[in-house]
Amino acid sequence: MTGPDEELLRLRNTLRDLLALGAVPLIWVGASPAKVIGSSLDLIVSALRLDLAFASVADPRDGAALQSARAPAQADAANRAGEIGSAFASLMNARGPIRAASPLDGRALNLRVVPLSIDEPGVVIAAAQRADFPSDTDNLLLAAACTQLSIWLRGERLHLERERAVAALAERERQKRELEDENVYLREEIQSAISQSGTIGRSAALRQVLGQIAQVAPTEATVLIFGESGTGKELLAREIHERSARAGRALIKVNCSAIPKDMFESEFFGHVRGAFTGALRDRPGRFQAAHGGTIFLDEVGDLPLELQPKLLRVLQEGQYERVGDDVTREVNVRVIAATNRDLPAAIAAGLFREDLYYRLNVFPITIPPLRERSEDIPLLAAHFAAQAARRLGLPEPRLGAAQCAALQRYRWPGNIRELGNLVERAVILGGPGPLRLDQVLPDGRATLAGAPRLQPEPDAEAIVSETEWRARECANIRAALKRAKGRIHGPDGAAELLGLKPSTLASRVKALKVRIES
């Protein structure tokens, strides 16, 4: 073949190799960095008729050094990339053609070192025994190949950075949603705790309960609190949480009796978008909100039977799935449960699982009803009265011995909750004056010594004549005057007791011809 023909053939081959290099990025789509580098070296070896090719680049995934090697006559060259890199370490910054011994077999090679772009640290070394290497054509093809490799590495790095950024944004959004949901729960918990200032009382029954709390709080044991409604089960659960190692994390309350039956699983475990009608976005459940902290299952006896196995699984394995999702999630929570039901009776009736009962009943605590700790009633009443007075901006009222005795005689079916509500109502009725317990204690169960007894409330359908109405009003005014020792004006006067202006009461006394006795 003549000289011009050889030159034409060489030019055709060069164009072919350049076109092949231009199509390389399509071949590399979705490939791993190691595969791309190896493929790039295979192309260089084939196009330039090399005896050895080596590349050292920064892995776009984590920046670690990634090395690869190819040698047509040495099948193990790919496995000896580290050895080749060490041998060529002193040549990495060389510029122009150089001559060096092959690390594989010691033969003398002509080398060309091509650094990658500034943005993508790395180097490619091409080596051949032939005397004309590297020619201008070799340099052109080598530069084109390294440019394509640099472009892919840069594109892959940017793609991975974008994926990480998207994942980070998604994670932040997920955390934000979880924090928003947790904050809703916590705000509810804080609002419900504003009126509480610790456990109040000094009865033997309460001291026994506090002793049990001191024993179990530092542990991770599950606690089951038994007690009638209104005895302060939630307050004791909070006390256990605050004394535990989880005190710095969330205490999430779940009122099992207030959740609609078809929403139980979603409330407990959360749901994914589209899991059911109205599920417009992913939402974590109460267990996820309580991760690392404590979950308080109030009225756990009201749990639907079909949900109880899933609760048992969380307690035993710490795993659950959101509604509409097949991803198993893990959670680390301490469980405190409470009930006012007779769970053994519910088990016998087939309404509560026996295995769940034993899993919850690791450390049982029974809160006595208020009627069994009557010595605590004056302390609690004074506490509630002081709280109500502060909220209403009134002077703090004082409880007398007769008032305390009346409170202690009452049976308190609603326990501490009923006592708190009743005392607040008495503070409101009394205004800046004394507590009006006579108007709030149920008639016939407890009355204040010397206080006027309230007449039974008339039938809503009964009609009261004008004469009877005036007689009742006269009796009420006489009772108030008697209690005020005949005084209409001033603190503890009859007008203050009746909630009337002194001038109004004086006019009625005159009109009804009520006799005032001092």
Side-chain angles (χ1 to χ4, degrees), residues 6-53:
E6 290 181 357
E7 186 65 25
L8 180 61
L9 179 60
R10 189 179 302 110
L11 180 60
R12 286 177 178 174
N13 291 337
T14 300
L15 290 174
R16 180 201 61 199
D17 294 336
L18 286 173
L19 290 173
L21 288 171
V24 160
L26 298 177
I27 302 173
W28 290 343
V29 172
S32 66
K35 184 174 181 181
V36 167
I37 296 170
S39 173
S40 178
L41 294 183
D42 287 335
L43 288 171
I44 294 173
V45 168
S46 174
L48 304 183
R49 295 170 292 133
L50 300 179
D51 295 297
L52 175 63

Side-chain angles (χ1 to χ4, degrees), residues 178-247:
E178 288 186 2
L179 286 174
E180 288 173 350
D181 292 326
E182 182 176 337
N183 286 339
V184 171
Y185 302 145
L186 292 179
R187 281 196 296 270
E188 293 173 355
E189 296 299 299
I190 291 170
Q191 289 300 319
S192 67
I194 287 175
S195 63
Q196 306 291 349
S197 63
T199 306
I200 298 171
R202 55 191 176 201
S203 63
L206 182 61
R207 287 199 302 270
Q208 181 180 357
V209 170
L210 294 178
Q212 290 178 302
I213 290 176
Q215 290 176 318
V216 75
T219 72
E220 289 290 303
T222 301
V223 179
L224 181 57
I225 304 173
F226 295 92
E228 296 178 6
S229 179
T231 50
K233 297 186 289 292
E234 182 183 345
L235 182 61
L236 290 192
R238 193 183 308 281
E239 185 78 8
I240 294 171
H241 172 72
E242 291 299 329
R243 293 191 185 190
S244 73
R246 299 173 181 259

Side-chain angles (χ1 to χ4, degrees), residues 285-448:
R286 303 288 179 109
F287 269 92
Q288 187 170 344
H291 182 67
T294 304
I295 190 166
F296 175 49
L297 305 178
D298 198 9
E299 305 304 344
V300 71
D302 293 337
L303 273 177
L305 193 62
E306 58 270 21
L307 183 63
Q308 293 176 20
K310 296 187 177 183
L311 176 60
L312 181 63
R313 180 192 176 200
V314 176
L315 298 179
Q316 290 179 335
E317 303 175 11
Q319 296 180 335
Y320 69 95
E321 289 84 29
R322 290 182 179 179
V323 178
D325 194 6
D326 57 1
V327 176
T328 299
R329 302 171 184 270
E330 295 188 352
V331 68
N332 175 20
V333 298
R334 183 184 189 176
V335 176
I336 302 175
T339 183
N340 59 9
R341 293 196 173 196
D342 183 348
L343 292 186
I347 293 171
L351 301 176
F352 203 84
R353 291 178 62 102
E354 187 174 19
D355 50 1
L356 177 58
Y357 169 72
Y358 288 122
R359 186 62 184 82
L360 291 172
N361 197 35
V362 176
F363 195 96
I365 297 177
T366 300
I367 306 176
L370 189 56
R371 61 183 173 273
E372 294 180 8
R373 38 184 290 221
S374 59
E375 58 266 53
D376 293 336
I377 291 176
L379 296 174
L380 289 165
H383 168 70
F384 291 132
Q387 278 192 328
R390 283 195 298 270
R391 285 197 300 269
L392 297 169
L394 298 172
E396 184 175 331
R398 285 186 291 180
L399 288 169
Q403 292 173 313
C404 290
L407 292 173
Q408 288 175 311
R409 284 194 296 270
Y410 181 51
R411 296 290 292 171
W412 300 109
N415 291 290
I416 298 174
R417 185 182 297 118
E418 182 185 8
L419 173 62
N421 293 339
L422 184 145
V423 170
E424 182 173 3
R425 191 159 65 249
V427 172
I428 294 172
L429 291 172
L435 286 177
R436 298 305 306 270
L437 294 177
D438 56 303
Q439 294 189 10
V440 296
L441 276 171
D443 185 54
R445 298 190 182 184
T447 57
L448 297 176

Side-chain angles (χ1 to χ4, degrees), residues 13-14 17-18 21 28 40-50 52-55 94-98 110-117 123-128 130 133-151:
N13 291 337
T14 300
D17 294 336
L18 286 173
L21 288 171
W28 290 343
S40 178
L41 294 183
D42 287 335
L43 288 171
I44 294 173
V45 168
S46 174
L48 304 183
R49 295 170 292 133
L50 300 179
L52 175 63
F54 169 81
R95 296 294 179 265
I98 55 176
N110 294 318
L111 271 64
R112 183 72 168 89
V113 180
V114 182
L116 300 184
S117 65
V123 65
V124 172
I125 298 178
R130 55 189 175 90
F133 181 82
S135 65
D136 292 341
T137 301
D138 295 330
N139 288 331
L140 176 63
L141 291 174
L142 190 57
C146 290
T147 298
Q148 292 287 38
L149 180 59
S150 297
I151 292 173

